[in-house]
Every structure is written in C-alpha cells, then in structure tokens.
Amino acid sequence: MNYQWYPGHMTKAKRMMQENISLIDLVIELVDARIPISSRNPDIDELGKNKSRLILLNKSDLADERANRLWLDHFKAKGYHVIEVNARSGKGLHAIGGAVKEACREKLERDRKRGIRNRPVRAIVVGIPNVGKSTFINSFAGRACTKTGNKPGVTKGKQWIRMNKDLELLDTPGILWPKLESEEVGRNLAFIGSMNDDILQLTELAAELIAFLLKHYRQQLADRYRMETPDDPETPLTVLTHICEDRKCYKKGQEADYEKAAAIVLDDFRSGRIGRITLELPDGSL
Ligand code: G4P
C-alpha cells in the first residue's frame, strides 16, 4: 500500500516549528499511546535540542494498560520526562504542573541565580496530526486561563495562553510530520486513522489489522464480534465473512459486503470498542 505525506506540508510544518521553537523553554510533545514510536518524529530531538522536554502519552485510555507502563519506563530510561494522559477526559493532566517544574528545573535554577523571578516557563505543544494537540490545549487550558495577547516582548501575532503564574502555552500547536520510514509505520498510522482513508485500500488495511488482533488480542476480537469459537484457526477473511453475517453487511443479491465490514472493524478499533489495544512495544515484540 502506498502511504504518503506531502513534501510541501512537511516544509511548511518544519519552518513553523523552527520559528516557534526559538521562543520557548519547553517542548510538550504528544504521542499516541497505541503507537508511541510510529506517531513521533525523532527529528524533534534535533529541533528541540537545548529545550526542556516533556512527552505526553496521550489517548492512553485506548491503549493497553500494561503497555502504557512499559512505554513510560522506556521514555524515562531515555531521559525524557513523561506522563500518561487522556486529553479528552482530562485524566492525568493534574500531574503536568509538577512535571513541567521537574523538566525545567535547570532553567528555573538559572533564572533564580540571575535574580530573575516570576518569569513563567513558555511551552509549545507539538505532535503529528490527530494525536490530540488541540484537545489537549483546550482541556488543559480549561476556562480559567486568559490569552495574554501581544504583550511587549512577544512576537506579534503569537498568542500565549497563561495557564498559571508559572506557565504560558503558545496557543498554536506545532505540527510534526510523521516519519514514514517503513511500511510498518505507515500501516500503524493508517490503523489509528492518521492517514487519509480515501487513498487507502480499507479492506486490505482491515485484514491486516485483523491478522494482528488474531495474533495478539484474539479474545477481545472474538468478544466484540461474537465469534463463538475463538480458538479455531481463523483467518482475516473468515473473520470479515463472520462480521458480514453478524452485522448483515450484504450487497444486492446477498453478496458479502467486505468493504462495509472492513469499515466497521477499523471504526471499532479506532474508537476503542474492540478494547484497549497497543500496536507496538518498546522491545519490538509486537
Ligand atoms: P490534533 O489537534 O493533534 O490534530 O488532534 P485533535 O485534538 O483534533 O484530536 C483528534 C481526535 O482525537 C479527536 O477526536 C479527539 O477528541 C481525540 N482525542 C484527543 N485526545 C484523546 C484522548 O486522550 N483519548 C481519546 N479517546 N481521544 C482523544 P475526533 O473524533 O476527531 O473528534 P471528536 O469526536 O472528539 O469531536
């Protein structure tokens, strides 16, 4: 399958990031907890060098709890500050204040030594499309905060959201481009819906997802689609056929409508209805 990300968008996104990153102290990077590697672009390490770093493992409600813990350990071991969150419900966001202080400890210490007091940490939220950046900014900012507008010293046009006396957030998130370095990364992004579905072969994609689920989350798949014999040697095709029967997906003349069944599986997976599923693990065992 051909997974694409347009070069023009990449250049624009990169330029915007370069411009904005120079204004800030802290990069808050969102990754999708179901695919924490495929959903991040490691170029952010170069772009954000010399900045404090905080990774948010977002959509953790959709990912396997055990895998979330492994990913937290993985990123911590690599020296990042990291928290597990659900930007939609707000779960985990209370821990951010403490994590920001921790991540910016050196800067705060430097400021203190130079006699600079009460200068808030300035942060930018970054991540690939659809990872939850806007949702996060809205939930985190809530209603309590105010936009600070074009204060002196703030680049014209940039809006800072004042979270509290210690933290200001740039209101426009930075978009990172996915790094499509392998077929697997493209597929993972397509599974979670971060690719344009219009240019994908959805039946093939759903079949690949089912193959993964049969291998690693068989019981959840069987439960969702009322497959009574989860131990039988099912194949993606038999599962899709079963879904066609179970959900009455037929074209005219009682022909099985595999495309419709494929759309159901992908939609169910993306919205967590098959269960909490992680598609990649730090040790590469998935
Ligand atoms: P972006 O700015 O990074 O492009 O992402 P955005 O906030 O638009 O979020 C993309 C989708 O992901 C939204 O769903 C949003 O609600 C959902 N989302 C964000 N964070 C979480 C999370 O922690 N858990 C879950 N389960 N979902 C999350 P949508 O279907 O596009 O919109 P809507 O149905 O919420 O209106």
Short mmCIF file of all heavy atoms in Angstrom, two decimals, residues 30 32 34 57-62 85-91 125-139 173-175 270-272, ligand 1:
data_model
loop_
_atom_site.label_atom_id
_atom_site.label_comp_id
_atom_site.label_asym_id
_atom_site.label_seq_id
_atom_site.Cartn_x
_atom_site.Cartn_y
_atom_site.Cartn_z
N LEU A 30 3.20 15.44 22.23
CA LEU A 30 2.18 14.41 22.37
C LEU A 30 2.49 13.24 21.44
O LEU A 30 2.80 13.45 20.26
CB LEU A 30 0.80 14.96 21.99
CG LEU A 30 -0.01 15.55 23.16
CD1 LEU A 30 0.57 16.89 23.54
CD2 LEU A 30 -1.47 15.69 22.80
N ASP A 32 0.87 9.18 20.46
CA ASP A 32 -0.30 8.32 20.62
C ASP A 32 0.14 7.05 21.35
O ASP A 32 1.02 6.34 20.86
CB ASP A 32 -0.88 7.97 19.24
CG ASP A 32 -2.23 7.27 19.35
OD1 ASP A 32 -2.30 6.24 20.05
OD2 ASP A 32 -3.20 7.76 18.76
N ARG A 34 -0.97 4.24 21.61
CA ARG A 34 -1.09 2.95 20.90
C ARG A 34 0.10 2.70 19.98
O ARG A 34 0.42 1.56 19.66
CB ARG A 34 -2.39 2.93 20.08
CG ARG A 34 -3.64 2.95 20.94
CD ARG A 34 -4.87 3.27 20.12
NE ARG A 34 -4.80 4.63 19.55
CZ ARG A 34 -5.70 5.12 18.71
NH1 ARG A 34 -6.72 4.38 18.34
NH2 ARG A 34 -5.58 6.35 18.25
N LEU A 57 2.00 10.75 26.86
CA LEU A 57 1.49 9.53 26.24
C LEU A 57 -0.02 9.69 26.19
O LEU A 57 -0.72 9.34 27.14
CB LEU A 57 1.91 8.36 27.14
CG LEU A 57 2.18 6.99 26.59
CD1 LEU A 57 3.20 7.02 25.47
CD2 LEU A 57 2.66 6.09 27.72
N ASN A 58 -0.51 10.28 25.09
CA ASN A 58 -1.94 10.64 25.02
C ASN A 58 -2.78 9.46 24.48
O ASN A 58 -2.24 8.51 23.95
CB ASN A 58 -2.13 11.88 24.15
CG ASN A 58 -3.52 12.44 24.28
OD1 ASN A 58 -4.11 12.43 25.37
ND2 ASN A 58 -4.10 12.92 23.19
N LYS A 59 -4.08 9.60 24.63
CA LYS A 59 -5.04 8.55 24.25
C LYS A 59 -4.70 7.26 24.99
O LYS A 59 -4.86 6.15 24.44
CB LYS A 59 -5.06 8.31 22.72
CG LYS A 59 -5.32 9.60 21.92
CD LYS A 59 -5.84 9.35 20.53
CE LYS A 59 -5.94 10.65 19.74
NZ LYS A 59 -6.53 10.53 18.41
N SER A 60 -4.19 7.42 26.20
CA SER A 60 -3.80 6.24 26.98
C SER A 60 -5.02 5.40 27.32
O SER A 60 -4.91 4.22 27.62
CB SER A 60 -3.06 6.65 28.25
OG SER A 60 -3.88 7.50 29.02
N ASP A 61 -6.21 5.99 27.26
CA ASP A 61 -7.45 5.24 27.51
C ASP A 61 -7.71 4.19 26.42
O ASP A 61 -8.43 3.23 26.64
CB ASP A 61 -8.64 6.20 27.58
CG ASP A 61 -8.78 7.08 26.33
OD1 ASP A 61 -7.78 7.73 25.95
OD2 ASP A 61 -9.87 7.11 25.72
N LEU A 62 -7.12 4.40 25.23
CA LEU A 62 -7.35 3.45 24.13
C LEU A 62 -6.26 2.38 24.08
O LEU A 62 -6.38 1.40 23.35
CB LEU A 62 -7.37 4.21 22.79
CG LEU A 62 -8.47 5.26 22.62
CD1 LEU A 62 -8.29 6.01 21.30
CD2 LEU A 62 -9.85 4.62 22.67
N VAL A 85 -1.61 10.39 29.75
CA VAL A 85 -2.79 11.25 29.86
C VAL A 85 -3.93 10.82 28.93
O VAL A 85 -3.74 10.02 28.01
CB VAL A 85 -2.47 12.75 29.53
CG1 VAL A 85 -1.46 13.32 30.50
CG2 VAL A 85 -1.99 12.92 28.10
N ASN A 86 -5.10 11.38 29.22
CA ASN A 86 -6.24 11.29 28.32
C ASN A 86 -6.73 12.72 28.14
O ASN A 86 -7.39 13.27 29.01
CB ASN A 86 -7.31 10.40 28.96
CG ASN A 86 -8.61 10.39 28.18
OD1 ASN A 86 -8.80 11.18 27.25
ND2 ASN A 86 -9.51 9.50 28.55
N ALA A 87 -6.32 13.33 27.02
CA ALA A 87 -6.62 14.75 26.82
C ALA A 87 -8.12 14.99 26.73
O ALA A 87 -8.62 16.05 27.08
CB ALA A 87 -5.93 15.27 25.57
N ARG A 88 -8.85 13.96 26.25
CA ARG A 88 -10.28 14.15 26.06
C ARG A 88 -11.01 14.24 27.40
O ARG A 88 -11.83 15.12 27.60
CB ARG A 88 -10.84 12.99 25.24
CG ARG A 88 -12.19 13.30 24.63
CD ARG A 88 -12.72 12.08 23.94
NE ARG A 88 -12.81 12.25 22.50
CZ ARG A 88 -13.10 11.26 21.68
NH1 ARG A 88 -13.28 10.04 22.15
NH2 ARG A 88 -13.19 11.48 20.39
N SER A 89 -10.67 13.35 28.33
CA SER A 89 -11.36 13.37 29.63
C SER A 89 -10.64 14.25 30.65
O SER A 89 -11.21 14.61 31.66
CB SER A 89 -11.44 11.96 30.20
OG SER A 89 -10.16 11.56 30.65
N GLY A 90 -9.39 14.54 30.38
CA GLY A 90 -8.61 15.35 31.34
C GLY A 90 -7.80 14.50 32.32
O GLY A 90 -7.05 15.03 33.13
N LYS A 91 -7.97 13.18 32.24
CA LYS A 91 -7.25 12.31 33.18
C LYS A 91 -5.74 12.46 33.02
O LYS A 91 -5.23 12.43 31.90
CB LYS A 91 -7.68 10.86 32.91
CG LYS A 91 -7.26 9.92 34.01
CD LYS A 91 -8.01 8.60 33.92
CE LYS A 91 -7.41 7.66 34.98
NZ LYS A 91 -7.06 6.37 34.44
N VAL A 125 3.16 23.06 22.36
CA VAL A 125 2.65 21.69 22.23
C VAL A 125 2.93 21.23 20.82
O VAL A 125 2.60 21.94 19.86
CB VAL A 125 1.13 21.66 22.51
CG1 VAL A 125 0.55 20.28 22.25
CG2 VAL A 125 0.84 22.11 23.93
N VAL A 126 3.54 20.07 20.66
CA VAL A 126 3.83 19.58 19.31
C VAL A 126 3.39 18.12 19.16
O VAL A 126 3.25 17.39 20.14
CB VAL A 126 5.35 19.68 18.96
CG1 VAL A 126 5.88 21.08 19.18
CG2 VAL A 126 6.18 18.67 19.73
N GLY A 127 3.21 17.72 17.92
CA GLY A 127 2.86 16.33 17.63
C GLY A 127 2.38 16.20 16.20
O GLY A 127 2.09 17.20 15.54
N ILE A 128 2.29 14.97 15.74
CA ILE A 128 1.79 14.74 14.38
C ILE A 128 0.27 15.00 14.34
O ILE A 128 -0.35 15.07 15.40
CB ILE A 128 2.13 13.31 13.88
CG1 ILE A 128 1.37 12.26 14.68
CG2 ILE A 128 3.63 13.04 13.92
CD1 ILE A 128 1.36 10.88 14.02
N PRO A 129 -0.30 15.16 13.15
CA PRO A 129 -1.74 15.42 13.08
C PRO A 129 -2.56 14.33 13.79
O PRO A 129 -2.17 13.16 13.77
CB PRO A 129 -2.02 15.40 11.57
CG PRO A 129 -0.73 15.76 10.94
CD PRO A 129 0.32 15.16 11.83
N ASN A 130 -3.62 14.76 14.45
CA ASN A 130 -4.61 13.86 15.03
C ASN A 130 -4.20 13.20 16.35
O ASN A 130 -4.88 12.33 16.87
CB ASN A 130 -4.97 12.76 14.01
CG ASN A 130 -6.38 12.25 14.20
OD1 ASN A 130 -7.26 13.03 14.58
ND2 ASN A 130 -6.58 10.98 13.97
N VAL A 131 -3.07 13.63 16.88
CA VAL A 131 -2.58 12.97 18.10
C VAL A 131 -3.27 13.55 19.35
O VAL A 131 -3.18 12.98 20.45
CB VAL A 131 -1.03 13.09 18.13
CG1 VAL A 131 -0.57 14.44 18.60
CG2 VAL A 131 -0.40 11.98 18.91
N GLY A 132 -4.01 14.67 19.15
CA GLY A 132 -4.79 15.23 20.27
C GLY A 132 -4.28 16.58 20.76
O GLY A 132 -4.62 16.99 21.87
N LYS A 133 -3.53 17.29 19.93
CA LYS A 133 -2.92 18.55 20.36
C LYS A 133 -3.98 19.60 20.75
O LYS A 133 -3.91 20.20 21.81
CB LYS A 133 -2.02 19.14 19.25
CG LYS A 133 -0.85 18.24 18.88
CD LYS A 133 0.01 18.84 17.78
CE LYS A 133 -0.68 18.96 16.44
NZ LYS A 133 -1.12 17.65 15.89
N SER A 134 -4.96 19.81 19.85
CA SER A 134 -5.98 20.84 20.14
C SER A 134 -6.82 20.44 21.34
O SER A 134 -7.13 21.27 22.20
CB SER A 134 -6.91 21.02 18.95
OG SER A 134 -6.16 21.17 17.80
N THR A 135 -7.17 19.16 21.40
CA THR A 135 -7.96 18.67 22.53
C THR A 135 -7.20 18.92 23.82
O THR A 135 -7.76 19.38 24.82
CB THR A 135 -8.22 17.16 22.38
OG1 THR A 135 -8.72 16.92 21.08
CG2 THR A 135 -9.19 16.64 23.41
N PHE A 136 -5.90 18.63 23.78
CA PHE A 136 -5.07 18.83 24.98
C PHE A 136 -5.05 20.31 25.38
O PHE A 136 -5.26 20.65 26.55
CB PHE A 136 -3.65 18.33 24.74
CG PHE A 136 -2.69 18.78 25.80
CD1 PHE A 136 -2.76 18.23 27.07
CD2 PHE A 136 -1.75 19.77 25.54
CE1 PHE A 136 -1.91 18.66 28.08
CE2 PHE A 136 -0.90 20.20 26.54
CZ PHE A 136 -0.97 19.65 27.80
N ILE A 137 -4.79 21.17 24.42
CA ILE A 137 -4.69 22.60 24.74
C ILE A 137 -6.02 23.07 25.34
O ILE A 137 -6.05 23.74 26.37
CB ILE A 137 -4.30 23.44 23.51
CG1 ILE A 137 -2.85 23.11 23.10
CG2 ILE A 137 -4.43 24.94 23.79
CD1 ILE A 137 -2.35 23.81 21.85
N ASN A 138 -7.12 22.66 24.73
CA ASN A 138 -8.44 23.08 25.24
C ASN A 138 -8.71 22.54 26.63
O ASN A 138 -9.14 23.27 27.52
CB ASN A 138 -9.56 22.64 24.30
CG ASN A 138 -9.53 23.45 23.02
OD1 ASN A 138 -9.01 24.58 23.01
ND2 ASN A 138 -10.04 22.88 21.94
N SER A 139 -8.44 21.24 26.84
CA SER A 139 -8.70 20.66 28.17
C SER A 139 -7.80 21.25 29.22
O SER A 139 -8.23 21.57 30.32
CB SER A 139 -8.38 19.16 28.20
OG SER A 139 -9.15 18.45 27.38
N PRO A 173 -0.52 24.85 18.19
CA PRO A 173 0.40 23.73 18.34
C PRO A 173 1.34 23.60 17.14
O PRO A 173 1.03 24.07 16.05
CB PRO A 173 -0.51 22.51 18.44
CG PRO A 173 -1.81 22.93 17.86
CD PRO A 173 -1.90 24.42 17.99
N GLY A 174 2.48 23.02 17.37
CA GLY A 174 3.43 22.76 16.28
C GLY A 174 3.13 21.40 15.66
O GLY A 174 2.92 20.42 16.37
N ILE A 175 3.05 21.40 14.33
CA ILE A 175 2.73 20.12 13.67
C ILE A 175 4.01 19.45 13.22
O ILE A 175 4.83 20.04 12.52
CB ILE A 175 1.80 20.36 12.47
CG1 ILE A 175 0.50 20.98 12.96
CG2 ILE A 175 1.53 19.04 11.74
CD1 ILE A 175 -0.44 21.40 11.86
N ARG A 270 -10.59 2.08 16.16
CA ARG A 270 -10.16 3.46 16.39
C ARG A 270 -10.87 4.09 17.58
O ARG A 270 -10.33 4.96 18.24
CB ARG A 270 -10.39 4.30 15.13
CG ARG A 270 -9.43 3.90 14.02
CD ARG A 270 -9.80 4.51 12.70
NE ARG A 270 -8.91 4.07 11.64
CZ ARG A 270 -9.07 4.37 10.37
NH1 ARG A 270 -10.08 5.13 9.97
NH2 ARG A 270 -8.21 3.92 9.47
N SER A 271 -12.10 3.66 17.83
CA SER A 271 -12.81 4.28 18.95
C SER A 271 -12.77 3.41 20.21
O SER A 271 -13.48 3.70 21.17
CB SER A 271 -14.23 4.63 18.54
OG SER A 271 -14.79 3.54 17.88
N GLY A 272 -11.93 2.39 20.19
CA GLY A 272 -11.70 1.62 21.41
C GLY A 272 -12.75 0.56 21.70
O GLY A 272 -12.75 -0.03 22.77
P1 G4P B 1 -4.73 17.35 16.66
O1 G4P B 1 -5.01 18.74 17.16
O2 G4P B 1 -3.42 16.82 17.18
O3 G4P B 1 -4.81 17.20 15.17
O4 G4P B 1 -5.83 16.37 17.29
P2 G4P B 1 -7.28 16.71 17.90
O5 G4P B 1 -7.13 17.46 19.19
O6 G4P B 1 -8.12 17.31 16.84
O7 G4P B 1 -7.79 15.25 18.27
C1 G4P B 1 -8.04 14.26 17.28
C2 G4P B 1 -9.10 13.30 17.80
O8 G4P B 1 -8.58 12.59 18.92
C3 G4P B 1 -10.39 13.97 18.30
O9 G4P B 1 -11.46 13.08 18.02
C4 G4P B 1 -10.19 14.00 19.81
O10 G4P B 1 -11.39 14.06 20.54
C5 G4P B 1 -9.49 12.68 20.03
N1 G4P B 1 -8.69 12.63 21.26
C6 G4P B 1 -7.77 13.51 21.68
N2 G4P B 1 -7.21 13.12 22.84
C7 G4P B 1 -7.81 11.95 23.17
C8 G4P B 1 -7.64 11.02 24.25
O11 G4P B 1 -6.81 11.18 25.15
N3 G4P B 1 -8.43 9.90 24.21
C9 G4P B 1 -9.33 9.67 23.22
N4 G4P B 1 -10.04 8.56 23.28
N5 G4P B 1 -9.50 10.53 22.19
C10 G4P B 1 -8.75 11.63 22.16
P3 G4P B 1 -12.45 13.33 16.84
O12 G4P B 1 -13.22 12.08 16.70
O13 G4P B 1 -11.69 13.83 15.66
O14 G4P B 1 -13.32 14.49 17.34
P4 G4P B 1 -14.44 14.48 18.49
O15 G4P B 1 -15.27 13.25 18.26
O16 G4P B 1 -13.77 14.46 19.81
O17 G4P B 1 -15.17 15.74 18.25
#
